[in-house]
Amino acid sequence: MKPLTVALDILQGEDNCYFGTLLPTLETLMSKTLEVKDSLTVATGLPEAIVQAIKKRFASVLESNDAMLAAVTLPKFKLRWVRDQRKKEMVKGILAAECHKFLPGLEQQPAKNPVSPTTPPDSGSSKDKEQDFFCFEDDDETFSTVETEVLAYLKTAETGMEILKKIPTIKAICLKLNAATPSSAPVERLFSLGSLVLSPKRNRLSDQRFEKLLLMRYNHWFES
């Protein structure tokens, strides 16, 4: 049961615990739980039962694109938690597709119209007519730019959050998907701390004063 207890401690943490932590933790938990199966002499079916329960309980998370993007945009995980090569390529493609949505002005660009409806018919040679008929758009360089940015991010050895400052597109996706915490434990601890602030001897605090005292008590390590 050690992998399960370690996973619970990770997901209930407050520091550096984001929504993107959930999927790598579940994948690692299932693999480590199955690794101890052969060394057991009693309760040999327990590891398999735990893994099946995890798959059933978190079925929607294990196949969620948002959960995958949240995990891969955290520099400490990237694609390290994915063991299957085909799934790695799939997650990489999902990340590239999401990056295209965050490119500035990409969706606002008007569609190109290679042939104007008011253009008179060409009366030149057949070669000119053929060139006008096969009128193609130039290759879109944004696709190669996104692929290069994604590959550069995944190949870098840096695991700190500071690397996101150099890759604004990945940073935007990370901020969008990793704002939530994977567990309600920090919120429950906040409620417990509230009972210490609003004590029987301080039961006439206004809402505004209570909120300020609670934030000062809970965020006492913040520096101005």
Side-chain angles (χ1 to χ4, degrees), residues 148-168:
T148 303
E149 184 174 312
V150 170
L151 290 177
Y153 165 71
L154 295 177
K155 288 183 178 180
T156 181
E158 297 185 40
T159 58
M161 298 294 284
E162 294 78 11
I163 186 63
L164 295 178
K165 297 180 181 178
K166 304 177 183 178
I167 314 176

Side-chain angles (χ1 to χ4, degrees), residues 70-180:
V72 75
T73 52
L74 287 179
K76 67 177 180 180
F77 293 125
K78 296 177 183 175
L79 289 175
R80 299 184 182 96
W81 54 277
V82 185
R83 299 179 181 272
D84 184 62
Q85 185 61 33
R86 289 186 300 177
K87 189 172 183 179
K88 280 187 177 182
E89 295 298 327
M90 182 190 72
V91 176
K92 191 185 301 182
I94 295 174
L95 178 59
E98 190 69 16
C99 286
H100 281 290
K101 300 178 182 179
F102 281 82
L103 287 178
L106 183 62
E107 297 180 355
Q108 287 75 19
Q109 292 180 356
K112 296 181 180 179
N113 188 2
V115 180
S116 175
T118 60
T119 302
D122 187 10
S123 59
S125 63
S126 60
K127 185 177 180 180
D128 294 336
K129 292 180 180 180
E130 183 177 342
Q131 290 179 351
D132 291 340
F133 179 78
F134 293 110
C135 186
F136 303 111
E137 296 182 6
D138 295 333
D139 293 337
D140 193 351
E141 296 181 357
T142 56
F143 289 93
S144 59
T145 303
V146 168
E147 292 293 339
T148 303
E149 184 174 312
V150 170
L151 290 177
Y153 165 71
L154 295 177
K155 288 183 178 180
T156 181
E158 297 185 40
T159 58
M161 298 294 284
E162 294 78 11
I163 186 63
L164 295 178
K165 297 180 181 178
K166 304 177 183 178
I167 314 176
T169 308
I170 304 293
K171 179 182 178 181
I173 301 174
C174 183
L175 290 175
K176 174 186 175 183
L177 299 175
N178 282 294

